[in-house]
Amino acid sequence: MVLHALLAASLALTSLPASASTAVDCARVKCLALTFDDGPGPGTSALLDTLRKEGAKATFFLVGKRVEERPKVAKKALAQGHAIGNHTYSHASLPSRLDNEILDELKVTQELIGKATGQRPRMYRPPYGHTDDRVLGLAHQTDLAEVLWTGTTLDWSLRDAKKIEAAVLRLAKPNGVILLHDTVPATVKAMPKVLKELKKRGYTLVTVPTMLRGKGPTSGVSYFK
């Protein structure tokens, strides 16, 4: 699909609501946000089933070209009450790109997610965590907040369910935001044990907007630096 051709197609869509988990008060309970980048992938639907079974909510930062491949999975994630964010169209390192290229990466993905789910995201995550003031300013033009993380599992390099489980448990802390990838099969495999153990430790698993307690995400603001 040609990026500019897609941008030319205007969709009358509303912005993604902050969260379906607004009943959770993270000022009173021990909250943790698991976030999954790079999907939807082959294992994302199974991961969604696991999350539903355990009563857990998560945040998915979707790559536009993969939303094109699996629009029904993106729709399923939103329908189950998870939060959805923009992770660019091609997983590009944004600071090295020209302004119009960055805007294309973000705007096209907004359109694709909107077309697949009926709602556009209010937040994005820069691939590799590569960002700067210029990128954040351009995201603001696209009405997007920037969401980073407090800890990364490096699951893409571990590729072992037990090691990924250990990494998540090591990084878990109240109001933490943990970076994972639903495109890593070992991550999907690790999640049933991870979720059960986190619940035993008293965590409530929520979306990023829920953890922000109604104070975001706000366009042009970067969270969890």
Side-chain angles (χ1 to χ4, degrees), residues 48-69:
L48 290 170
D49 292 342
T50 298
L51 291 165
R52 178 172 48 82
K53 182 178 179 181
E54 295 298 330
K57 300 302 180 186
T59 303
F60 291 84
F61 290 95
L62 306 180
V63 170
K65 63 182 180 181
R66 289 184 172 151
V67 174
E68 284 181 310
E69 296 167 359

Side-chain angles (χ1 to χ4, degrees), residues 25 40-41 73 157:
D25 183 357
V73 180
S157 62

Side-chain angles (χ1 to χ4, degrees), residues 159-213:
R159 297 190 178 275
D160 178 272
K162 289 184 178 180
K163 291 180 180 179
I164 292 167
E165 178 185 355
V168 174
L169 297 177
R170 183 181 69 252
L171 294 167
K173 64 179 183 179
N175 298 316
V177 178
I178 298 179
L179 169 58
L180 296 139
H181 298 83
D182 47 319
T183 52
V184 175
T187 296
V188 176
K189 183 179 178 181
M191 280 305 105
K193 288 186 177 180
V194 166
L195 297 175
K196 285 182 173 63
E197 182 59 31
L198 288 172
K199 287 167 71 175
K200 284 181 183 178
R201 296 186 183 192
Y203 285 103
T204 299
L205 300 172
V206 300
T207 66
V208 166
T210 295
M211 190 151 45
L212 292 175
R213 307 175 193 176

Side-chain angles (χ1 to χ4, degrees), residues 93-103 106 124 131-141 146:
S93 176
L94 297 178
S96 64
R97 301 300 180 94
L98 299 174
D99 286 9
N100 66 305
E101 293 173 328
I102 294 170
L103 289 171
L106 296 174
Y124 89 107
T131 188
D132 56 25
D133 289 342
R134 180 175 66 97
V135 170
L136 184 57
L138 292 166
H140 184 31
Q141 290 183 29
E146 181 176 88

